[in-house]
Amino acid sequence: MPSISLLLRVARLAFFAALTFTLYSAVAPPSHALQLTPWDKATHFIAFYVLTGLAVAAFPKRNLFVLAALLSALGALIEIVQGLPMVHRDRDFWDWVADTLAISSALAPMLLSWWRGQVRSGQKYIDK
């Protein structure tokens, strides 16, 4: 079984590779960027869903809400950069919304699992 430190290094490598790929795809000319789906919003959703899962694996001690805020800010920054004339891309508020929905969707099961653990650990107090 691989050690936790090895798994953590692999998770961080995967996260930074995905982050690099996402940033490149965001600023590359549309003809050079890989299109995962024919619908741009779905591509944004997939990219940020994967980034969120990898971020949680890469930084397991970080607060989920902090990770969510940082990733959402990254999505907003990408849209700002895409609006610059030298990038030749279109800024779209709804792309950022798709990014943020993906982050929320990826984190929802984790938060529900945490909530269940909290309720179970306090069950003796709830049942009274």
Side-chain angles (χ1 to χ4, degrees):
M1 176 113 187
S3 70
I4 295 296
S5 63
L6 175 62
L7 293 174
L8 188 58
R9 282 193 299 250
V10 169
R12 288 185 177 164
L13 179 65
F15 170 73
F16 285 112
L19 179 63
T20 301
F21 175 77
T22 300
L23 292 174
Y24 170 77
S25 296
V27 297
S31 61
H32 291 87
L34 176 67
Q35 293 297 319
L36 299 174
T37 67
W39 187 36
D40 181 54
K41 305 305 177 263
T43 300
H44 276 263
F45 189 93
I46 292 167
F48 275 82
Y49 190 93
V50 170
L51 275 177
T52 303
L54 291 173
V56 170
F59 305 102
K61 293 183 180 181
R62 299 280 186 233
N63 182 295
L64 294 180
F65 294 106
V66 171
L67 288 175
L70 290 171
L71 288 168
S72 183
L74 173 67
L77 180 63
I78 286 171
E79 292 310 313
I80 291 168
V81 169
Q82 285 182 338
L84 298 174
M86 66 183 136
V87 178
H88 303 292
R89 299 288 294 258
D90 294 326
R91 179 182 323 165
D92 187 351
F93 169 80
W94 296 108
D95 287 348
W96 173 75
V97 171
D99 300 341
T100 304
L101 286 172
I103 296 163
S104 301
S105 297
L107 292 179
M110 297 173 216
L111 293 172
L112 289 172
S113 178
W114 170 83
W115 173 251
R116 286 176 50 87
Q118 294 299 307
V119 169
R120 284 184 179 160
S121 67
Q123 193 66 41
K124 60 184 174 191
Y125 302 108
I126 295 174
D127 290 338
K128 289 187 175 184

